mmCIF file of all heavy atoms in Angstrom:
data_model
loop_
_atom_site.group_PDB
_atom_site.id
_atom_site.type_symbol
_atom_site.label_atom_id
_atom_site.label_comp_id
_atom_site.label_asym_id
_atom_site.label_seq_id
_atom_site.Cartn_x
_atom_site.Cartn_y
_atom_site.Cartn_z
ATOM 1 N N LEU A 1 -124.740 -60.967 -28.157
ATOM 2 C CA LEU A 1 -125.299 -61.605 -26.950
ATOM 3 C C LEU A 1 -126.507 -62.414 -27.405
ATOM 4 O O LEU A 1 -126.648 -63.543 -26.826
ATOM 5 C CB LEU A 1 -125.752 -60.509 -26.085
ATOM 6 C CG LEU A 1 -126.022 -60.913 -24.593
ATOM 7 C CD1 LEU A 1 -124.883 -61.683 -24.053
ATOM 8 C CD2 LEU A 1 -126.289 -59.667 -23.770
ATOM 9 N N LYS A 2 -127.205 -62.009 -28.407
ATOM 10 C CA LYS A 2 -128.452 -62.811 -28.898
ATOM 11 C C LYS A 2 -127.861 -64.138 -29.446
ATOM 12 O O LYS A 2 -128.534 -65.173 -29.157
ATOM 13 C CB LYS A 2 -129.174 -62.104 -29.975
ATOM 14 C CG LYS A 2 -130.069 -60.979 -29.435
ATOM 15 C CD LYS A 2 -130.764 -60.379 -30.563
ATOM 16 C CE LYS A 2 -131.734 -59.280 -30.137
ATOM 17 N NZ LYS A 2 -132.444 -58.671 -31.257
ATOM 18 N N GLU A 3 -126.704 -64.100 -30.097
ATOM 19 C CA GLU A 3 -126.232 -65.339 -30.703
ATOM 20 C C GLU A 3 -125.618 -66.244 -29.639
ATOM 21 O O GLU A 3 -125.826 -67.506 -29.779
ATOM 22 C CB GLU A 3 -125.161 -64.896 -31.726
ATOM 23 C CG GLU A 3 -125.640 -64.426 -32.949
ATOM 24 C CD GLU A 3 -124.617 -63.871 -33.942
ATOM 25 O OE1 GLU A 3 -123.595 -63.313 -33.448
ATOM 26 O OE2 GLU A 3 -124.803 -63.913 -35.182
ATOM 27 N N VAL A 4 -125.083 -65.695 -28.516
ATOM 28 C CA VAL A 4 -124.661 -66.518 -27.473
ATOM 29 C C VAL A 4 -125.876 -67.241 -26.828
ATOM 30 O O VAL A 4 -125.749 -68.416 -26.482
ATOM 31 C CB VAL A 4 -123.949 -65.618 -26.405
ATOM 32 C CG1 VAL A 4 -123.515 -66.506 -25.155
ATOM 33 C CG2 VAL A 4 -122.615 -65.049 -26.989
ATOM 34 N N ILE A 5 -126.882 -66.519 -26.524
ATOM 35 C CA ILE A 5 -128.094 -67.078 -25.910
ATOM 36 C C ILE A 5 -128.691 -68.244 -26.898
ATOM 37 O O ILE A 5 -128.995 -69.275 -26.409
ATOM 38 C CB ILE A 5 -129.147 -66.149 -25.613
ATOM 39 C CG1 ILE A 5 -128.655 -65.081 -24.632
ATOM 40 C CG2 ILE A 5 -130.466 -66.680 -25.114
ATOM 41 C CD1 ILE A 5 -128.289 -65.699 -23.335
ATOM 42 N N GLY A 6 -128.768 -67.943 -28.115
ATOM 43 C CA GLY A 6 -129.270 -68.909 -29.041
ATOM 44 C C GLY A 6 -128.295 -70.157 -29.010
ATOM 45 O O GLY A 6 -128.845 -71.266 -29.071
ATOM 46 N N HIS A 7 -127.146 -69.864 -29.048
ATOM 47 C CA HIS A 7 -126.113 -70.984 -29.058
ATOM 48 C C HIS A 7 -126.206 -71.847 -27.804
ATOM 49 O O HIS A 7 -126.195 -73.051 -27.878
ATOM 50 C CB HIS A 7 -124.644 -70.380 -29.075
ATOM 51 C CG HIS A 7 -123.575 -71.457 -28.790
ATOM 52 N ND1 HIS A 7 -123.294 -72.440 -29.519
ATOM 53 C CD2 HIS A 7 -122.784 -71.436 -27.601
ATOM 54 C CE1 HIS A 7 -122.316 -73.139 -28.912
ATOM 55 N NE2 HIS A 7 -122.030 -72.481 -27.767
ATOM 56 N N ILE A 8 -126.459 -71.200 -26.691
ATOM 57 C CA ILE A 8 -126.646 -71.990 -25.396
ATOM 58 C C ILE A 8 -127.803 -72.834 -25.543
ATOM 59 O O ILE A 8 -127.831 -74.060 -25.233
ATOM 60 C CB ILE A 8 -126.825 -71.049 -24.161
ATOM 61 C CG1 ILE A 8 -125.323 -70.352 -23.891
ATOM 62 C CG2 ILE A 8 -127.304 -71.716 -22.971
ATOM 63 C CD1 ILE A 8 -125.542 -69.269 -22.883
ATOM 64 N N SER A 9 -128.913 -72.331 -26.197
ATOM 65 C CA SER A 9 -130.140 -73.102 -26.263
ATOM 66 C C SER A 9 -129.883 -74.294 -27.337
ATOM 67 O O SER A 9 -130.256 -75.365 -27.036
ATOM 68 C CB SER A 9 -131.299 -72.277 -26.789
ATOM 69 O OG SER A 9 -131.711 -71.395 -25.716
ATOM 70 N N ASP A 10 -129.322 -73.951 -28.523
ATOM 71 C CA ASP A 10 -128.993 -74.987 -29.494
ATOM 72 C C ASP A 10 -128.157 -76.073 -28.834
ATOM 73 O O ASP A 10 -128.416 -77.293 -29.063
ATOM 74 C CB ASP A 10 -128.260 -74.410 -30.635
ATOM 75 C CG ASP A 10 -129.203 -73.811 -31.688
ATOM 76 O OD1 ASP A 10 -130.399 -73.813 -31.485
ATOM 77 O OD2 ASP A 10 -128.751 -73.345 -32.644
ATOM 78 N N THR A 11 -127.121 -75.825 -28.149
ATOM 79 C CA THR A 11 -126.172 -76.772 -27.617
ATOM 80 C C THR A 11 -126.910 -77.618 -26.482
ATOM 81 O O THR A 11 -126.693 -78.868 -26.563
ATOM 82 C CB THR A 11 -125.031 -76.114 -27.035
ATOM 83 O OG1 THR A 11 -124.292 -75.315 -28.018
ATOM 84 C CG2 THR A 11 -124.023 -77.094 -26.422
ATOM 85 N N GLU A 12 -127.764 -76.954 -25.710
ATOM 86 C CA GLU A 12 -128.467 -77.805 -24.713
ATOM 87 C C GLU A 12 -129.337 -78.768 -25.538
ATOM 88 O O GLU A 12 -129.508 -79.889 -25.020
ATOM 89 C CB GLU A 12 -129.285 -76.872 -23.811
ATOM 90 C CG GLU A 12 -129.980 -77.634 -22.784
ATOM 91 C CD GLU A 12 -130.436 -76.893 -21.500
ATOM 92 O OE1 GLU A 12 -129.754 -75.880 -21.267
ATOM 93 O OE2 GLU A 12 -131.276 -77.317 -20.725
ATOM 94 N N ARG A 13 -130.029 -78.259 -26.510
ATOM 95 C CA ARG A 13 -130.992 -79.239 -27.311
ATOM 96 C C ARG A 13 -130.148 -80.387 -27.813
ATOM 97 O O ARG A 13 -130.572 -81.585 -27.636
ATOM 98 C CB ARG A 13 -131.539 -78.531 -28.487
ATOM 99 C CG ARG A 13 -132.811 -77.740 -28.232
ATOM 100 C CD ARG A 13 -133.372 -77.244 -29.548
ATOM 101 N NE ARG A 13 -134.603 -76.546 -29.316
ATOM 102 C CZ ARG A 13 -134.718 -75.272 -29.375
ATOM 103 N NH1 ARG A 13 -133.812 -74.487 -29.818
ATOM 104 N NH2 ARG A 13 -135.879 -74.757 -29.220
ATOM 105 N N ILE A 14 -129.095 -80.180 -28.273
ATOM 106 C CA ILE A 14 -128.221 -81.187 -28.883
ATOM 107 C C ILE A 14 -127.691 -82.217 -27.790
ATOM 108 O O ILE A 14 -127.778 -83.426 -27.928
ATOM 109 C CB ILE A 14 -127.094 -80.711 -29.769
ATOM 110 C CG1 ILE A 14 -127.621 -80.066 -30.941
ATOM 111 C CG2 ILE A 14 -126.030 -81.865 -30.065
ATOM 112 C CD1 ILE A 14 -126.604 -79.074 -31.683
ATOM 113 N N MET A 15 -127.227 -81.683 -26.692
ATOM 114 C CA MET A 15 -126.785 -82.467 -25.592
ATOM 115 C C MET A 15 -127.926 -83.279 -24.989
ATOM 116 O O MET A 15 -127.772 -84.353 -24.686
ATOM 117 C CB MET A 15 -126.058 -81.600 -24.544
ATOM 118 C CG MET A 15 -124.791 -80.985 -24.962
ATOM 119 S SD MET A 15 -123.575 -82.155 -25.488
ATOM 120 C CE MET A 15 -122.381 -81.109 -26.285
ATOM 121 N N SER A 16 -129.143 -82.651 -24.886
ATOM 122 C CA SER A 16 -130.305 -83.324 -24.396
ATOM 123 C C SER A 16 -130.719 -84.418 -25.280
ATOM 124 O O SER A 16 -131.152 -85.564 -24.802
ATOM 125 C CB SER A 16 -131.393 -82.403 -24.037
ATOM 126 O OG SER A 16 -131.153 -81.497 -22.980
ATOM 127 N N TYR A 17 -130.677 -84.248 -26.580
ATOM 128 C CA TYR A 17 -131.011 -85.300 -27.513
ATOM 129 C C TYR A 17 -130.013 -86.476 -27.356
ATOM 130 O O TYR A 17 -130.456 -87.635 -27.362
ATOM 131 C CB TYR A 17 -130.947 -84.687 -28.979
ATOM 132 C CG TYR A 17 -131.189 -85.751 -30.022
ATOM 133 C CD1 TYR A 17 -132.461 -86.291 -30.274
ATOM 134 C CD2 TYR A 17 -130.137 -86.080 -30.881
ATOM 135 C CE1 TYR A 17 -132.556 -87.230 -31.275
ATOM 136 C CE2 TYR A 17 -130.190 -87.076 -31.849
ATOM 137 C CZ TYR A 17 -131.478 -87.579 -32.047
ATOM 138 O OH TYR A 17 -131.598 -88.565 -32.965
ATOM 139 N N ARG A 18 -128.724 -86.181 -27.286
ATOM 140 C CA ARG A 18 -127.812 -87.234 -27.020
ATOM 141 C C ARG A 18 -128.087 -87.941 -25.800
ATOM 142 O O ARG A 18 -127.947 -89.247 -25.708
ATOM 143 C CB ARG A 18 -126.400 -86.657 -26.964
ATOM 144 C CG ARG A 18 -125.876 -86.034 -28.302
ATOM 145 C CD ARG A 18 -124.614 -85.249 -28.171
ATOM 146 N NE ARG A 18 -124.077 -84.877 -29.458
ATOM 147 C CZ ARG A 18 -122.997 -84.151 -29.593
ATOM 148 N NH1 ARG A 18 -122.349 -83.676 -28.524
ATOM 149 N NH2 ARG A 18 -122.606 -83.757 -30.832
ATOM 150 N N LEU A 19 -128.294 -87.227 -24.708
ATOM 151 C CA LEU A 19 -128.743 -87.807 -23.441
ATOM 152 C C LEU A 19 -129.838 -88.728 -23.509
ATOM 153 O O LEU A 19 -129.779 -89.803 -23.053
ATOM 154 C CB LEU A 19 -128.994 -86.672 -22.387
ATOM 155 C CG LEU A 19 -129.106 -86.938 -20.946
ATOM 156 C CD1 LEU A 19 -128.669 -85.686 -20.149
ATOM 157 C CD2 LEU A 19 -130.434 -87.311 -20.607
ATOM 158 N N LEU A 20 -130.903 -88.274 -24.218
ATOM 159 C CA LEU A 20 -132.106 -89.100 -24.332
ATOM 160 C C LEU A 20 -131.766 -90.460 -25.112
ATOM 161 O O LEU A 20 -132.159 -91.466 -24.668
ATOM 162 C CB LEU A 20 -133.228 -88.295 -25.175
ATOM 163 C CG LEU A 20 -134.330 -89.131 -25.674
ATOM 164 C CD1 LEU A 20 -135.209 -89.597 -24.486
ATOM 165 C CD2 LEU A 20 -135.140 -88.298 -26.701
ATOM 166 N N ARG A 21 -131.140 -90.289 -26.233
ATOM 167 C CA ARG A 21 -130.725 -91.492 -27.023
ATOM 168 C C ARG A 21 -129.948 -92.479 -26.195
ATOM 169 O O ARG A 21 -130.251 -93.693 -26.180
ATOM 170 C CB ARG A 21 -129.971 -91.051 -28.307
ATOM 171 C CG ARG A 21 -130.694 -90.205 -29.207
ATOM 172 C CD ARG A 21 -131.261 -90.861 -30.475
ATOM 173 N NE ARG A 21 -130.515 -91.815 -31.160
ATOM 174 C CZ ARG A 21 -129.850 -91.653 -32.287
ATOM 175 N NH1 ARG A 21 -130.009 -90.531 -32.979
ATOM 176 N NH2 ARG A 21 -129.291 -92.670 -32.835
ATOM 177 N N ILE A 22 -128.894 -91.970 -25.484
ATOM 178 C CA ILE A 22 -128.114 -92.939 -24.708
ATOM 179 C C ILE A 22 -128.833 -93.427 -23.489
ATOM 180 O O ILE A 22 -128.790 -94.623 -23.184
ATOM 181 C CB ILE A 22 -126.755 -92.274 -24.284
ATOM 182 C CG1 ILE A 22 -125.935 -91.932 -25.551
ATOM 183 C CG2 ILE A 22 -125.953 -93.078 -23.378
ATOM 184 C CD1 ILE A 22 -124.738 -90.983 -25.348
ATOM 185 N N ALA A 23 -129.555 -92.616 -22.815
ATOM 186 C CA ALA A 23 -130.384 -93.080 -21.689
ATOM 187 C C ALA A 23 -131.437 -94.151 -22.021
ATOM 188 O O ALA A 23 -131.673 -95.005 -21.211
ATOM 189 C CB ALA A 23 -131.137 -91.877 -20.971
ATOM 190 N N ARG A 24 -131.884 -94.116 -23.253
ATOM 191 C CA ARG A 24 -132.969 -95.103 -23.686
ATOM 192 C C ARG A 24 -132.224 -96.311 -24.267
ATOM 193 O O ARG A 24 -132.910 -97.119 -24.834
ATOM 194 C CB ARG A 24 -133.811 -94.486 -24.736
ATOM 195 C CG ARG A 24 -134.664 -93.338 -24.202
ATOM 196 C CD ARG A 24 -135.625 -93.690 -23.104
ATOM 197 N NE ARG A 24 -136.621 -92.590 -22.870
ATOM 198 C CZ ARG A 24 -136.662 -91.785 -21.805
ATOM 199 N NH1 ARG A 24 -135.701 -92.001 -20.902
ATOM 200 N NH2 ARG A 24 -137.549 -90.877 -21.686
ATOM 201 N N GLY A 25 -130.925 -96.404 -24.215
ATOM 202 C CA GLY A 25 -130.234 -97.635 -24.599
ATOM 203 C C GLY A 25 -129.891 -97.722 -26.118
ATOM 204 O O GLY A 25 -129.504 -98.688 -26.701
ATOM 205 N N ASP A 26 -130.075 -96.556 -26.789
ATOM 206 C CA ASP A 26 -129.711 -96.461 -28.295
ATOM 207 C C ASP A 26 -128.194 -96.613 -28.390
ATOM 208 O O ASP A 26 -127.522 -95.754 -27.787
ATOM 209 C CB ASP A 26 -130.232 -95.163 -28.809
ATOM 210 C CG ASP A 26 -130.132 -95.132 -30.389
ATOM 211 O OD1 ASP A 26 -129.320 -95.852 -30.981
ATOM 212 O OD2 ASP A 26 -130.897 -94.377 -30.933
ATOM 213 N N LYS A 27 -127.675 -97.474 -29.157
ATOM 214 C CA LYS A 27 -126.284 -97.693 -29.306
ATOM 215 C C LYS A 27 -125.668 -97.171 -30.591
ATOM 216 O O LYS A 27 -124.563 -97.188 -30.902
ATOM 217 C CB LYS A 27 -125.903 -99.178 -29.267
ATOM 218 C CG LYS A 27 -126.310 -99.974 -28.039
ATOM 219 C CD LYS A 27 -125.502 -99.458 -26.899
ATOM 220 C CE LYS A 27 -125.871 -100.331 -25.559
ATOM 221 N NZ LYS A 27 -125.256 -99.717 -24.440
ATOM 222 N N THR A 28 -126.547 -96.469 -31.259
ATOM 223 C CA THR A 28 -126.106 -95.771 -32.596
ATOM 224 C C THR A 28 -125.152 -94.680 -32.267
ATOM 225 O O THR A 28 -125.409 -93.748 -31.473
ATOM 226 C CB THR A 28 -127.333 -95.170 -33.372
ATOM 227 O OG1 THR A 28 -128.328 -96.155 -33.469
ATOM 228 C CG2 THR A 28 -126.915 -94.550 -34.559
ATOM 229 N N PRO A 29 -123.969 -94.712 -32.850
ATOM 230 C CA PRO A 29 -122.971 -93.609 -32.697
ATOM 231 C C PRO A 29 -123.624 -92.282 -33.202
ATOM 232 O O PRO A 29 -124.228 -92.209 -34.103
ATOM 233 C CB PRO A 29 -121.783 -93.995 -33.485
ATOM 234 C CG PRO A 29 -121.843 -95.432 -33.600
ATOM 235 C CD PRO A 29 -123.346 -95.733 -33.613
ATOM 236 N N LEU A 30 -123.434 -91.239 -32.296
ATOM 237 C CA LEU A 30 -123.954 -89.948 -32.623
ATOM 238 C C LEU A 30 -122.843 -88.899 -33.145
ATOM 239 O O LEU A 30 -121.669 -89.048 -32.693
ATOM 240 C CB LEU A 30 -124.678 -89.281 -31.414
ATOM 241 C CG LEU A 30 -125.773 -90.230 -30.891
ATOM 242 C CD1 LEU A 30 -126.156 -89.696 -29.504
ATOM 243 C CD2 LEU A 30 -126.895 -90.235 -31.856
ATOM 244 N N PRO A 31 -123.248 -88.137 -34.172
ATOM 245 C CA PRO A 31 -122.193 -87.279 -34.793
ATOM 246 C C PRO A 31 -121.977 -85.991 -33.891
ATOM 247 O O PRO A 31 -122.793 -85.626 -32.976
ATOM 248 C CB PRO A 31 -122.782 -86.810 -36.102
ATOM 249 C CG PRO A 31 -124.227 -86.830 -35.810
ATOM 250 C CD PRO A 31 -124.473 -87.996 -34.890
ATOM 251 N N GLY A 32 -120.883 -85.372 -34.194
ATOM 252 C CA GLY A 32 -120.587 -84.037 -33.616
ATOM 253 C C GLY A 32 -121.407 -83.002 -34.326
ATOM 254 O O GLY A 32 -122.287 -83.256 -35.222
ATOM 255 N N PHE A 33 -121.182 -81.662 -34.038
ATOM 256 C CA PHE A 33 -121.881 -80.588 -34.770
ATOM 257 C C PHE A 33 -120.914 -79.417 -34.742
ATOM 258 O O PHE A 33 -120.043 -79.247 -33.914
ATOM 259 C CB PHE A 33 -123.228 -80.190 -34.254
ATOM 260 C CG PHE A 33 -123.193 -79.484 -32.886
ATOM 261 C CD1 PHE A 33 -123.408 -78.180 -32.850
ATOM 262 C CD2 PHE A 33 -122.898 -80.093 -31.700
ATOM 263 C CE1 PHE A 33 -123.299 -77.421 -31.720
ATOM 264 C CE2 PHE A 33 -122.924 -79.448 -30.504
ATOM 265 C CZ PHE A 33 -123.125 -78.054 -30.492
#
């Protein structure tokens, strides 16, 4: 359960980072994880 909670946080960080980059007009392709 701790790993699931950590995974939810990590995934949200990654998706939010992607969201930030795209929202700010960054056209650099972003990798998966």
